[in-house]
Amino acid sequence: MKTILIFMDTLNRHMLRVYNPEAKAVTPNIDRLAEKSMVFDKHFIGSAPCMPARRDILTGRLNFLERGWGPVEPYDVTLPQLLRAQGVFTHITTDHSHYTSIGGEGYMQQYDTWDFNRGQETDVWESRLEEPPAPRSYLGRVGRQYQWNRQHYKTDGDRPTPRTFASAVKWLKNNEDRDDYFLTVEAFDPHEPFDASEEFKAMYPDSFDTFYEWPRYDALNEQETPEAVEHLRNQYCATLSMADKWLGKLLDEMDRQDLWEDTLVIFTSDHGHMLGEHGVTGKNRYHAWNEMSRIPLFIHLPGGRNAGERAEGVTQNIDLFPTILEYFSREKEERMERAQRRKEQDKKNLAGRMFIPPDWSMPVQGRSLWSLLNREKEKIRDYAIYGWFGKPVNITDGEYTYFRAAANDKNAPLYLYAAGLTSFEQYLGCNLPGEDICAGYFLKNVPMPVFRIDMSRKTPEKPSMGLGENRLYRISHDPGQLHPLTDPLLEEKYCQALIKTMKEHDAPEEQFERLGLI
């Protein structure tokens, strides 16, 4: 049995023709994969951005109610761990540079083997003391490190995402005719900076002549004119088309090996990106608009069963954990016998990575998608909740979305819980007053003490970009979320649904107080 998870960072759903026939981006290989798959129409993020989204997938649990960006926790029971214990070989190839940064520890190391393709964004790859070549004038950001890294890129094939797909092709060739593996192919593109080779930029011509490929995370200013925003979107599309070309090489290898007959293939993203919609660029600092939180999901079933059909139930990335685990539960006993023989051989050779399954497990909050994939049910849940740590908690049933903001300007009480005290390129707790951090058995279902850090003092007292306001939208009629509704009865319905769903996800008690839900 085989599973290939293909993961493209910052992939805007509305830029794909399978979801938006008028989309500008040219992505024949994403379209090709969609034709072989069941397409999910109401798929949402759980936790965002990058590392929280990945922890969701690896654990089947929501990260954002307890902490923001951070490592795999020592108490996490991860999908690769459980698959390895069942005799499934796991491998990841990626160019996601945050895996090697402070705050990204432990993710690649969950796998038997991993391959990291260097050079994206802030990856400290090219080491120079002098200042790099830089454009004379530009909009948005220009990163010093990336300016040095990009000196390596003469063709599209030199760039990290193409090298990631090429690495996946090589891995499949090296392991042709093998069975019982879980391959994760994780491409950083089309994440910013939107840097593509000239071949792909030429596909989206415009007359804007100022360098602009790395947007600010803020409201548009007077320089970011409609022409500038259109150029930024063109840069995004070029980067996406370049990644699509190299995805095609992976699909070609799957064609050659006829992997479609016996392989589960999953394609999704972690979140989208604002490119001028709602007057902003970037992510993280605004309400979780659909452009960021409603993401693509395709699943190819072995043999092409139900290919081209659409699934309407509300789903999230936490659902991938139980779906993949259930798939590999078939033929488990035979595979376990093979795994035991491999372990015994590894022991003799003093090689290999021995893994002892934990004698406890965290309750999985995701729900298997097999009842949707097999057309046995139309939905697996009534509501999905999602968001960023410390920001509004959002809920949807696919018909409406409701953004529930903090009930006070101090965004309090708000605690971060973690055993690993790192976050995005920083250490937590080092510069806090003594009363702001303590340790104890604070988390339900976690069999060890964790740190609790008061984060309410770390957030602005005046939430920006409308984050202090509750919002209600009917996304079935208003997918762009341009027309907020005023309906107290409907809002109360979603408040009660939010309370119930947060409890199901083991939300810390103070989250209800922070949101004014008690």
Side-chain angles (χ1 to χ4, degrees):
M1 306 189 76
K2 310 175 184 109
T3 295
I4 300 175
L5 171 62
I6 305 169
F7 197 79
M8 293 179 69
D9 201 301
T10 314
L11 184 56
N12 282 348
R13 177 187 188 274
H14 59 286
M15 295 288 197
L16 304 180
R17 292 179 181 176
V18 65
Y19 291 110
N20 175 16
E22 298 180 358
K24 178 188 288 189
V26 179
T27 57
N29 294 299
I30 292 177
D31 299 342
R32 169 183 165 192
L33 180 55
E35 290 172 359
K36 293 178 175 289
S37 308
M38 183 178 286
V39 175
F40 286 70
D41 283 326
K42 296 176 182 176
H43 189 62
F44 288 81
I45 66 170
S47 309
C50 299
M51 305 326 291
R54 284 152 181 80
R55 187 166 176 239
D56 278 10
I57 292 175
L58 287 194
T59 65
R61 296 175 57 82
L62 290 178
N63 175 96
F64 84 101
L65 295 171
E66 298 169 2
R67 69 160 301 156
W69 188 293
V72 170
E73 297 287 359
Y75 50 81
D76 285 341
V77 178
T78 68
L79 178 61
Q81 286 177 342
L82 294 178
L83 293 179
R84 285 165 51 201
Q86 293 183 15
V88 178
F89 191 90
T90 62
H91 178 73
I92 182 172
T93 180
T94 182
D95 58 324
H96 187 90
S97 61
H98 299 307
Y99 280 140
T100 64
S101 300
I102 293 172
E105 302 92 344
Y107 288 87
M108 292 189 298
Q109 292 77 9
Q110 299 301 305
Y111 292 79
D112 283 296
T113 54
W114 49 270
D115 186 18
F116 175 53
N117 300 281
R118 302 202 62 176
Q120 286 284 17
E121 201 190 32
T122 56
D123 179 23
V124 288
W125 183 32
E126 180 68 13
S127 181
R128 300 287 190 95
L129 291 177
E130 67 266 36
E131 287 302 307
R136 184 170 299 177
S137 63
Y138 60 88
L139 295 182
R141 297 176 57 196
V142 168
R144 180 188 186 281
Q145 182 63 55
Y146 190 71
Q147 287 300 105
W148 276 124
N149 291 348
R150 74 193 306 164
Q151 304 305 310
H152 292 278
Y153 311 149
K154 307 306 179 186
T155 69
D156 57 307
D158 297 329
R159 287 169 164 81
T161 281
R163 285 189 275 121
T164 295
F165 282 118
S167 167
V169 170
K170 179 181 178 181
W171 192 91
L172 287 176
K173 288 180 176 178
N174 288 344
N175 294 282
E176 188 169 355
D177 298 326
R178 307 302 296 179
D179 201 3
D180 300 334
Y181 63 72
F182 172 57
L183 170 63
T184 297
V185 185
E186 186 186 324
F188 195 61
D189 286 340
H191 192 287
E192 76 276 9
F194 308 134
D195 173 27
S197 61
E198 293 302 321
E199 170 191 354
F200 297 95
K201 291 180 181 179
M203 295 171 60
Y204 306 96
D206 59 46
S207 58
F208 191 78
D209 60 1
T210 300
F211 189 86
Y212 188 25
E213 65 175 20
W214 198 332
R216 300 178 307 120
Y217 283 36
D218 209 336
L220 296 174
N221 62 28
E222 65 278 1
Q223 293 178 301
E224 292 163 331
T225 62
E227 293 76 18
V229 169
E230 184 63 20
H231 177 74
L232 182 66
R233 292 174 180 171
N234 285 338
Q235 300 294 92
Y236 176 94
C237 288
T239 307
L240 176 54
S241 290
M242 182 179 70
D244 181 83
K245 169 188 170 180
W246 288 83
L247 167 65
K249 295 181 183 296
L250 175 62
L251 303 186
D252 290 345
E253 180 60 23
M254 295 173 66
D255 286 344
R256 189 188 71 79
Q257 294 191 28
D258 199 22
L259 291 177
W260 305 106
E261 288 303 308
D262 62 355
T263 306
L264 180 70
V265 184
I266 301 172
F267 176 89
T268 191
S269 183
D270 51 355
H271 52 71
H273 198 88
M274 306 301 292
L275 297 172
E277 301 89 353
H278 297 278
V280 300
T281 60
K283 56 182 182 287
N284 307 347
R285 301 182 179 183
Y286 328 113
H287 272 303
W289 308 112
N290 270 357
E291 289 85 357
M292 293 184 290
S293 61
R294 196 169 184 177
I295 56 176
L297 174 65
F298 315 152
I299 298 182
H300 165 83
L301 297 177
R305 183 164 54 89
N306 298 338
E309 297 187 13
R310 315 285 286 217
E312 292 295 326
V314 173
T315 56
Q316 299 186 266
N317 271 351
I318 55 173
D319 300 329
L320 301 183
F321 179 114
T323 302
I324 295 168
L325 204 58
E326 182 177 341
Y327 176 67
F328 277 111
S329 68
R330 307 165 193 175
E331 303 177 9
K332 179 178 175 180
E333 291 185 8
E334 179 183 347
R335 190 168 57 250
M336 290 288 281
E337 292 178 6
R338 293 197 296 271
Q340 186 60 35
R341 290 195 296 270
R342 191 178 79 182
K343 286 181 181 180
E344 290 172 358
Q345 188 62 45
D346 285 345
K347 208 169 184 179
K348 290 178 183 177
N349 297 336
L350 297 178
R353 296 176 61 189
M354 303 299 293
F355 173 71
I356 301 174
D359 56 7
W360 59 274
S361 62
M362 300 284 286
V364 174
Q365 297 166 343
R367 301 183 181 184
S368 172
L369 299 172
W370 283 104
S371 60
L372 299 179
L373 292 166
N374 293 330
R375 291 302 191 191
E376 297 164 352
K377 294 182 180 179
E378 292 185 357
K379 66 178 183 177
I380 57 172
R381 61 165 54 82
D382 293 324
Y383 300 99
I385 59 173
Y386 56 93
W388 278 252
F389 175 73
K391 301 291 195 301
V393 177
N394 315 289
I395 186 167
T396 186
D397 56 7
E399 178 73 15
Y400 291 88
T401 56
Y402 179 56
F403 302 156
R404 182 71 181 190
N408 59 75
D409 287 346
K410 292 185 180 296
N411 198 25
L414 176 64
Y415 296 111
L416 181 153
Y417 300 93
L421 285 179
T422 60
S423 186
F424 180 50
E425 299 183 346
Q426 64 178 313
Y427 292 96
L428 295 170
C430 296
N431 300 309
L432 295 173
E435 67 270 18
D436 282 346
I437 182 169
C438 59
Y441 289 87
F442 297 119
L443 291 181
K444 182 180 179 182
N445 299 314
V446 174
M448 63 181 292
V450 298
F451 291 104
R452 186 182 72 184
I453 304 174
D454 186 350
M455 299 299 291
S456 59
R457 303 182 187 184
K458 293 287 186 179
T459 56
E461 293 191 3
K462 295 181 179 180
S464 62
M465 303 306 299
L467 283 178
E469 304 170 6
N470 303 328
R471 300 280 183 89
L472 177 67
Y473 297 93
R474 189 175 185 184
I475 57 172
S476 60
H477 290 63
D478 179 22
Q481 296 165 305
L482 300 176
H483 307 289
L485 303 176
T486 302
D487 188 328
L489 290 178
L490 197 56
E491 184 172 357
E492 178 61 22
K493 171 189 172 181
Y494 286 98
C495 282
Q496 293 305 312
L498 187 56
I499 292 171
K500 180 176 183 293
T501 309
M502 286 174 63
K503 288 180 178 178
E504 291 172 354
H505 286 276
D506 299 328
E509 289 300 319
E510 69 275 3
Q511 286 281 6
F512 298 91
E513 182 180 350
R514 181 178 74 91
L515 299 172
L517 293 174
I518 57 174

